[in-house]
Amino acid sequence: MRCRFTLNSHSPTMSRAGAGHPDETGVRDDPTMLYVALNDLLQMEAKFRPRLALPKDEQSGEVTIGARDGAAHVLKCLKVWYDLPADVLISAISLFDRFLTKMKVRPCHIPCITVSCMNIAIDEYAEVNKQARKVSVEELVSVSQSACTAGDVSRMSRVITDKLALLHGSAVTALHWLRLLRRLVASAAQEFGLTRPILAPSSEENLIKLLEIAICDAGCVNARTSELALVIVYHQIEQELLEWSRESPVPDEAYCLYEFAAHLQAHCNMNDASLLTTRNRFRTVLASYETRAAAPQRQRLVWRLSERTFKVLRPTDRLTSLLPTIEEQNFAVDATPTRKRSGSESSESEETSDWPRSPVLPVYCGN
């Protein structure tokens, strides 16, 4: 079966007129306009691509891969804690990776840099969407427990803004690519006349979750954002076609989407070896994430308490709910029988309890 496309790989012309920032939300589903936005993204992709070369083990005080993934984990926890949109998280991680690409920093500065990147990303999102900022710098510092002050975060934010030249416009992230490629592929699926929608708008939430999993792992940090987005989009297509095959036979037109993937690959000048490497890295990261998600949680919940709060608490870990047995025959002899104490122990003898008496590390949420 021969698949035909409305536009071939060389037909769209590079046009900046009226395109604005290449965010998918401002582009209609007209194929011509989608290709104009695609060309805009291609023109700016290299500028916003991080190129990290971090060691696995600490060497001469350098930032390690584990520290980078830890910072991404903190950013994701802040995003979940304040219920921030995915745009903020992905922008903050992009800022963090690009700053570490340009600057050599000390590990002790990572917490402050992490919170500062989130601070900048929140400001950018509020400015782009014409909304008031809902999370203050003081709140970010308090919840993240980064051991820095609001003034430190403000100063570091200015340094990051200056070094990355952020005053000249918003960055292009993998999320822009993901949204645009989803609409391009969905538009192609409609042209093929499929009876079942592929990559419907409702699937965007799942695509974003897959992207968050990928960018929070250093294994995908140096991949081209266009390649990573294309790999995630077609991973979702495979899942949807699998669900389709369980209900009814999949028509041959659906497999034309894979030929369309080759069309996009050629248009974006993606190398076969590089695209295959990105796909393998993404699958490795996703498999590792799913393995951790399936494992039972064995970490105990630990509360961080101040000494003042701890002194007024009454430990109840040794108290029992057993009540003394009432012996009715005793009432015939003594109208006021003596009551036996329950199996509880006095809280005054809690010297050997395992309650925390010193500051402990907070428990962060999982991926």
Side-chain angles (χ1 to χ4, degrees):
M1 180 179 178
R2 188 67 178 173
C3 302
R4 296 181 180 180
F5 307 114
T6 303
L7 298 173
N8 56 45
S9 59
H10 300 287
S11 60
T13 58
M14 186 71 68
S15 173
R16 301 285 297 176
H21 187 271
D23 192 342
E24 171 271 341
T25 56
V27 180
R28 300 188 303 273
D29 283 334
D30 177 29
T32 303
M33 296 301 298
L34 291 175
Y35 272 93
V36 169
L38 180 64
N39 288 328
D40 290 339
L41 291 180
L42 285 171
Q43 192 176 29
M44 294 182 287
E45 181 182 18
K47 178 181 178 182
F48 300 105
R49 179 184 176 185
R51 290 176 174 83
L52 289 180
L54 303 178
K56 293 183 178 180
D57 302 322
E58 187 173 354
Q59 302 173 359
S60 303
E62 294 184 4
V63 178
T64 62
I65 292 177
R68 183 269 173 195
D69 286 349
H73 181 70
V74 171
L75 290 172
K76 188 170 185 180
C77 287
L78 290 174
K79 179 252 186 185
V80 173
W81 182 269
Y82 290 111
D83 194 22
L84 298 171
D87 305 66
V88 175
L89 171 65
I90 296 172
S91 177
I93 294 179
S94 175
L95 290 169
F96 183 88
D97 291 335
R98 286 158 48 210
F99 185 73
L100 261 62
T101 299
K102 299 191 69 172
M103 305 296 297
K104 186 175 181 179
V105 302
R106 298 173 59 185
C108 61
H109 295 154
I110 290 298
C112 185
I113 296 174
T114 303
V115 179
S116 300
C117 290
M118 177 60 78
N119 178 50
I120 296 173
I122 292 175
D123 274 340
E124 286 185 349
Y125 183 82
E127 182 179 357
V128 170
N129 293 274
K130 310 300 181 183
Q131 299 177 357
R133 174 170 174 154
K134 299 180 180 179
V135 183
S136 66
V137 180
E138 291 75 11
E139 290 175 322
L140 288 177
V141 171
S142 175
V143 173
S144 65
Q145 299 184 1
S146 56
C148 58
T149 65
D152 295 334
V153 172
S154 298
R155 287 190 293 270
M156 183 60 73
S157 298
R158 291 193 293 269
V159 171
I160 297 174
T161 301
D162 179 63
K163 296 299 181 181
L164 298 182
L166 300 180
L167 299 178
H168 302 294
S170 301
V172 174
T173 65
L175 185 57
H176 296 120
W177 277 101
L178 189 72
R179 286 171 170 164
L180 182 59
L181 291 181
R182 184 199 69 79
R183 298 186 72 170
L184 273 168
V185 177
S187 177
Q190 292 179 357
E191 291 185 11
F192 297 150
L194 298 180
T195 58
R196 181 168 176 167
I198 297 293
L199 295 180
S202 58
S203 66
E204 186 171 302
E205 181 179 356
N206 190 49
L207 289 170
I208 293 176
K209 290 181 180 178
L210 293 174
L211 179 59
E212 290 181 355
I213 294 171
I215 64 172
C216 286
D217 194 288
C220 299
V221 67
N222 289 330
R224 282 184 60 182
T225 49
S226 57
E227 293 179 350
L228 182 60
L230 186 63
V231 165
I232 293 175
V233 164
Y234 273 84
H235 174 83
Q236 178 67 21
I237 290 178
E238 291 176 358
Q239 300 301 315
E240 293 186 10
L241 292 181
L242 181 61
E243 293 293 331
W244 193 348
S245 65
R246 293 173 179 172
E247 301 175 4
S248 61
V250 178
D252 294 338
E253 290 79 6
Y255 296 99
C256 291
L257 293 174
Y258 291 97
E259 187 172 340
F260 185 71
H263 160 78
L264 290 175
Q265 178 184 351
H267 184 85
C268 298
N269 298 317
M270 299 179 186
N271 182 271
D272 289 339
S274 178
L275 186 61
L276 180 62
T277 300
T278 302
R279 186 186 67 173
N280 292 337
R281 289 178 178 176
F282 169 72
R283 290 183 175 181
T284 300
V285 170
L286 183 60
S288 175
Y289 175 83
E290 292 175 345
T291 301
R292 293 195 304 268
Q297 296 293 332
R298 297 178 180 176
Q299 184 178 11
R300 296 180 59 187
L301 181 63
V302 180
W303 295 101
R304 183 172 184 175
L305 305 174
S306 65
E307 290 294 335
R308 179 189 302 177
T309 304
F310 178 76
K311 289 178 180 179
V312 300
L313 289 178
R314 177 181 176 86
T316 58
D317 58 332
R318 296 189 181 183
L319 296 180
T320 64
S321 59
L322 298 178
L323 297 176
T325 302
I326 301 176
E327 300 179 1
E328 297 181 359
Q329 61 273 18
N330 291 341
F331 286 99
V333 180
D334 187 0
T336 59
T338 59
R339 296 187 58 184
K340 298 181 181 180
R341 290 181 58 86
S342 66
S344 64
E345 299 182 14
S346 172
S347 61
E348 301 297 332
S349 61
E350 291 295 324
E351 298 298 334
T352 59
S353 68
D354 58 352
W355 279 61
R357 293 183 177 274
S358 60
V360 295
L361 293 177
V363 177
Y364 293 109
C365 61
N367 284 337

